[in-house]
């Protein structure tokens, strides 16, 4: 392409591409698709993006088009691949725009650079990591020594450089070939040695900015901390093969993150609830959760070092303190007794979920268990010693079970509100496996695994609690009933469920929660242990709960449990025959009571099964 004439033509087309006129946009798109395979086109695009005298929309469209072209044509085996000569013109200029201060343009620019590095490192551009790291180090030094108006420019450059480094490391971690893994591990120590001190300095500067009340500076420092942490998280988890041989800087970083996470979370808890939607507060939330992501990934990919690292014990204790501290907020209050009062919301629900999942990964993990022959290697023995003597001690396990059963696994006040406002949405939501976004689901997973792995400790206490008489419904009782259903496979040798069911009839409760829980329990116990001669009692109860006039959620659960009885291996069709007509009537009535397509289809499937 002729550079002088083509450059102006491309600028005009890019401006037309941002027009509000559909005809102009369509014509500009056609022109760009024709030009994108021509030589020098992407070099001209990068030059247009780099020209700050042009309008912001034209520059933004230029870098987006450049980024999309990199995806399609930078790889040398692509059809109409960008030529080597053109790449040699582009590559030296890629890191020249780190001071881009328009956020939308900066993001697209950083992504484009990282995607080029994905294809070129380490074979074509082996020095990319070293060049980028040196730029990050130089910018950080300039920021530490700058003042006044130049400081904002240094912040911008640091954010962009760290973001590119984060994207670059992220792509390296996604690679699976041995050669590419080796490239990451050979690069990680040097990058970690550069970024970790920057992270430590920004933490110290952030504390100082908070002390003097510099809100603007603290916001910029939070962004730098976040980008440093995003990079260090992946380097820490994926960049080192053997944790026994890593230097002290890596261990010092992880020890420090435990205190940093606690301090950031304390700062977040001290903010007014209405200010937590502000941009700065969102960055603070992301930082707190980033630490949790690092802990979870550390456990997932480095199970043995996770347990044996000394910093893990205070980290797990801190998480349990937050789980216990937030527990009273989750205790449901019957709607009829709550009046206008509402339970205070969790400060950060996802942090609680991260803590529950961290404990679950300790309770149930194949790396910490003996093999089928009962043998343990040296690493497993060391991990088991730490887990049994310092993490899952008998008092801790008892406390965990009590907290989960009393506060986390019962239904919440919000569940009952949704039963009234949108029962069909609640039913559909219950069928989704989205434990990573729901505290109750995550707590149920942990409770089940805790009872399963610690049967000798937990089953006798659970049986003792279940045998107590119930005279008035409470939400602690709902947690106990939930435990009975979740742990049916562990309890069937210790409890006669049918006898228990006769001794614990449903009592009056808000929104018929007690009846719903009994219907749910029947569905959980039928596949485990429910004698055939007791089935008629279950049919009568479930069909009674499914009658019109009961809450929709209760009717739906009763019919679902009825289907569990029918689909069971021990199902006796002759025994069920007296209840056949009424079952069809109840399901047909439900078919006319629901409006969502998936729930109506579920009713049709139930009819088909019967």
């Amino acid at each position: 392409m002729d550079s002088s004439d083509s450059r102006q033509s491309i600028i005009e087309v890019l401006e037309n591409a941002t027009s509000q006129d559909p005809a102009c946009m369509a014509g500009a798109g056609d022109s760009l698709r024709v030009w994108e395979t021509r030589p020098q086109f992407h070099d001209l695009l990068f030059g247009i993006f780099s020209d700050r005298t042009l309008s912001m929309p034209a520059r933004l469209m230029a870098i987006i088009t450049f980024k999309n072209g990199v995806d399609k044509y930078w790889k040398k085996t692509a059809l109409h691949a960008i030529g080597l000569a053109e790449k040699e013109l582009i590559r030296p200029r890629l890191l020249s725009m780190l001071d881009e201060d328009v956020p939308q343009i900066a993001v697209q620019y950083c992504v484009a650079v990282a995607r080029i590095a994905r294809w070129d490192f380490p074979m074509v551009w082996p020095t990319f990591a070293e060049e980028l790291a040196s730029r990050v180090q130089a910018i950080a030094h300039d920021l530490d020594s700058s003042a006044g108006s130049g400081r904002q420019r240094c912040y911008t450059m640091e954010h962009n450089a760290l973001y590119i480094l984060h994207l670059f490391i992220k792509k390296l971690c996604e690679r699976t070939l041995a050669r590419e893994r080796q490239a990451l591990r050979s690069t990680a120590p040097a990058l970690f040695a550069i970024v970790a001190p920057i992270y430590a300095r920004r933490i110290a500067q952030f504390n100082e900015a908070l002390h003097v009340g510099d809100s603007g500076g603290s916001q910029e420092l939070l962004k730098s901390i976040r980008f440093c942490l995003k990079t260090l998280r992946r380097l820490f988890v994926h960049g080192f093969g053997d944790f026994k041989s890593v230097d002290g800087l890596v261990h010092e970083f992880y020890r420090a993150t435990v205190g940093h996470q606690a301090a950031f979370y304390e700062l977040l808890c001290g903010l007014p609830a209405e200010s937590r939607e502000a941009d700065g507060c969102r960055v603070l939330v992301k930082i707190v959760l980033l630490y949790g992501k690092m802990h979870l990934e550390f456990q997932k990919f480095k199970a043995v070092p996770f347990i044996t690292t000394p910093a893990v014990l205070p980290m797990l204790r801190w998480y349990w303190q937050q789980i216990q501290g937030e527990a009273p907020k989750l205790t449901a209050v019957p709607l009829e007794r709550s009046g206008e009062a509402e339970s205070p919301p969790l400060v950060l629900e996802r942090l609680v979920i991260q803590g529950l999942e961290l404990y679950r990964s300790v309770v149930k993990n194949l790396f910490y268990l003996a093999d089928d022959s009962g043998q343990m290697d040296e690493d497993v023995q060391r991990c088991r010693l730490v887990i049994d003597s310092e993490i899952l001690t008998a008092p801790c396990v008892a406390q965990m079970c009590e907290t989960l059963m009393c506060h986390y696994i019962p239904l919440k006040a919000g569940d009952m509100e949704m039963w009234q406002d949108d029962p069909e949405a609640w039913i559909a939501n219950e069928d989704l496996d989205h434990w990573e976004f729901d505290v109750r689901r995550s707590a149920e997973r942990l409770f089940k695994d805790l009872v399963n792995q610690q049967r000798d400790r937990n089953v006798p206490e659970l049986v003792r609690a279940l045998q107590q008489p119930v005279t008035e419904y409470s939400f602690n009782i709902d947690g106990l009933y939930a435990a009975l259903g979740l742990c049916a496979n562990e309890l069937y040798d210790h409890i006669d469920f049918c006898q228990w069911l006769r001794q614990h009839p449903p009592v009056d409760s808000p929104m018929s929660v007690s009846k719903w829980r009994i219907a749910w329990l029947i569905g959980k116990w039928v596949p485990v242990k429910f004698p055939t001669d007791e089935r008629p009692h279950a049919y009568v109860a479930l069909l009674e709960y499914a009658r019109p006039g009961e809450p929709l959620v209760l009717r739906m659960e009763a019919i679902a449990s009825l289907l569990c009885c029918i689909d069971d291996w021990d199902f006796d069709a002759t025994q069920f025959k007296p209840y056949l007509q009424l079952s069809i009537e109840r399901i047909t009535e439900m078919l006319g009571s629901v409006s969502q397509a998936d729930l109506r289809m579920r009713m049709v499937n139930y009819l088909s099964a019967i």
Side-chain angles (χ1 to χ4, degrees), residues 285-286 288-290 292-293 296 319 346-357 436-439:
V285 168
K286 291 177 180 178
V288 173
L289 296 178
L290 269 174
K293 289 181 179 179
L296 287 167
Y319 265 105
L346 299 181
V347 175
L348 195 55
E349 183 173 331
R350 287 178 62 190
L351 178 89
V352 175
I353 295 173
Q354 286 179 340
L356 294 170
E357 289 304 308
E436 63 269 29
F437 304 110
D438 187 271
V439 169

Side-chain angles (χ1 to χ4, degrees), residues 1-2 45 214 218 252 304 323 395 421 444 465 532 586 598:
M1 300 179 70
D2 182 81
L45 279 177
D214 182 7
S218 63
E252 180 60 32
V304 172
I323 292 170
D421 298 338
E444 288 175 350
T532 305
R586 291 287 188 259
D598 57 340

Side-chain angles (χ1 to χ4, degrees), residues 10 25 30 114 170 173 178 190 220 241 273 341 381 387 396 411 418 427 439 487 492 500 525 550 588:
I10 293 172
M25 292 177 62
D30 293 339
K170 182 179 179 180
C173 292
E220 298 296 338
Q381 289 178 355
I387 291 171
C396 178
L411 295 173
M418 201 168 183
I427 294 168
V439 169
C487 303
Y492 72 90
W500 180 93
W525 272 84
E550 295 288 357
T588 306

Side-chain angles (χ1 to χ4, degrees), residues 18 67 114 132 153 200 238 296 298 315 346 384 431 485 502 571:
T18 63
K67 180 198 69 175
L132 181 58
R153 181 174 181 271
H238 301 284
L296 287 167
F298 186 25
M315 180 268 292
L346 299 181
R384 279 264 49 107
D431 292 335
R502 286 192 292 270
F571 173 69

Side-chain angles (χ1 to χ4, degrees), residues 98 110 132-133 135-137 139-140 143 154-169 191 194-196 198-199 202 220-232:
L98 293 174
C110 293
L132 181 58
R135 295 297 297 273
V136 169
Q137 194 171 28
I139 292 168
L143 178 58
C154 289
Y155 276 130
T156 300
M157 294 181 69
E158 181 169 87
H159 297 162
N160 290 338
L162 288 172
Y163 186 45
I164 293 173
L165 182 59
H166 152 64
L167 294 174
F168 169 62
I169 296 300
L191 293 177
I194 291 173
V195 181
I198 297 174
Y199 165 81
R202 298 298 171 259
E220 298 296 338
L221 288 165
L222 272 180
K223 294 178 184 177
S224 291
I225 291 169
R226 180 185 169 222
F227 285 129
C228 285
L229 190 57
K230 287 169 79 73
T231 300
L232 291 170

